[in-house]
Structure formats: C-alpha cells, structure tokens
Amino acid sequence: MNQETTRTLVFGGARSGKSAQAERLAAAAGKPVIYIATAAVGDDEMAARIALHRQQRSAQYAHWETVEEQLALGDAIARASRPGNVVLVDCLTVWLSNLLFSEPKEYPEIGRIEAPARFAAERERFLQALSQAPGDVVLVSNEVGMGIVPQGAISRWFVDEAGRLNQAVAAICERVQFVAAGLPLELKGRAC
C-alpha cells in the first residue's frame, strides 16, 4: 500500500448517517468508486431496503459500479481494489450476519454457539484483503454493543463477533469515524 491509499472505517448505530457519510467520503476522493453491497434479499422488508438503496445510488452516483457479495467479501475486495480507485463496502455487520448464519441449523438460547465452518477462513481472507488493498477502501459497520447485554446466546454471540470484527478492522484502518445523528466524529487518522 502506498502513502496516498487510505482505509477508512465509518461506524455507528442504526440510522446514524454512517452510510451517507461513507458515500460522501468515497465521492470526495475524486476517484472511480466500486460499491460492494453485502445485503441479501431474505424477506419483503429487506427486498424493499435493497431496492431503495439501489434507487438512491443510481440517482446520486450513477457512475459508480456496484458489486453484490454476501459471503466472499475478501475475494470481492481483492478483485475490486486497484490503485487510483475507491472500494466502498456497505456493510460489514450485514456481511457478518450473512456469514454467521450461512448454514441452516438450530441455535440454542443458552450455551456456546459454534460458528459455521467457513467463518474463520472468510473473516481472515477479508482482513487480509483489507490489509493488502492497493486502492482506497471505505467500510461501513454498525456499532451494536453500546446498549444492554442481549439476553439470548445467539444475540450475545452476534454482538461479540461484531465487536471483535470492528476492533480488527479499526486496527487495520488509517482512519476511523464514529457517526451519531449524522455527525461524524474522527476517532483515528485524518482525511485522505
């Protein structure tokens, strides 16, 4: 990675403005943008959300290329990232959810939960691709651990894994912003 390349994590709560902030950062770089969308259509509500996001992007950022990848995010970043471009990933917690629940099985309300077989490899491949990306990367993630500790084992497992993922990503990124009420707070680094 060269001096002009920046990896940025933009995270915050639901409807905090983190996606809009990440899009502003990607657009402000003045480089071609490849948008990696991680959401999968699982029900009517999610289908409507995805359609709305596609419509908003096509209206505001018609020149951006969109790639949809629900599980192999590391491979998608490795294919998309080039010197002189920006890869925008929205969002890591949706990707994490896709990955953690990629195998159909019953989950206990108490006790330890085993991650799917591909979880560790996909997570490691993602972190490696992020570390080695030759172009700018902007990542969106949710902060899900600022409230009460969830009651069920599956919810605690997800919150724990999301927290671990955000910490690992923040350690790699040169820049980290926390967004609340549409206002970004710089936690690490500076603008690219």
Side-chain angles (χ1 to χ4, degrees):
M1 195 173 91
N2 64 43
Q3 296 291 356
E4 293 86 40
T5 302
T6 302
R7 294 162 294 198
T8 303
L9 172 62
V10 179
F11 74 112
R15 297 288 175 243
S16 63
K18 61 193 176 295
S19 292
Q21 174 64 10
E23 289 171 359
R24 283 191 292 274
L25 292 173
K31 301 173 184 178
V33 176
I34 299 176
Y35 186 106
I36 301 178
T38 63
V41 176
D43 57 28
D44 290 343
E45 187 267 339
M46 198 60 180
R49 280 178 177 250
I50 291 170
L52 178 62
H53 278 265
R54 285 177 180 154
Q55 179 186 15
Q56 289 170 334
R57 276 196 314 274
S58 67
Q60 200 165 15
Y61 305 111
H63 55 287
W64 288 7
E65 178 184 343
T66 299
V67 173
E68 295 185 0
E69 180 54 59
Q70 289 82 38
L71 295 172
L73 183 56
D75 291 341
I77 290 171
R79 283 190 306 272
S81 183
R82 298 287 172 258
N85 80 353
V86 178
V87 172
L88 171 57
V89 177
D90 196 354
C91 100
L92 292 181
T93 35
V94 170
W95 168 71
L96 178 65
S97 179
N98 294 341
L99 194 53
L100 291 177
F101 303 106
S102 62
E103 296 176 359
K105 64 180 186 175
E106 294 292 320
Y107 294 94
E109 276 303 309
I110 57 172
R112 183 167 156 69
I113 297 176
E114 292 295 323
R118 74 186 285 183
F119 171 70
E122 290 293 349
R123 185 182 188 278
E124 183 58 33
R125 177 67 184 122
F126 159 68
L127 294 172
Q128 178 184 37
L130 178 60
S131 294
Q132 297 172 353
D136 293 343
V137 181
V138 179
L139 306 121
V140 176
S141 190
N142 286 282
E143 174 51 65
V144 297
M146 292 181 73
I148 61 171
V149 176
Q151 185 173 354
I154 194 168
S155 298
R156 285 191 302 276
W157 177 53
F158 178 77
V159 168
D160 289 349
E161 290 300 336
R164 288 183 192 108
L165 180 63
N166 283 345
Q167 288 182 54
V169 171
I172 293 169
C173 289
E174 291 80 20
R175 186 176 190 198
V176 178
Q177 289 185 343
F178 180 76
V179 179
L183 301 171
L185 173 64
E186 203 78 34
L187 300 180
K188 178 181 176 184
R190 58 176 180 72
C192 51

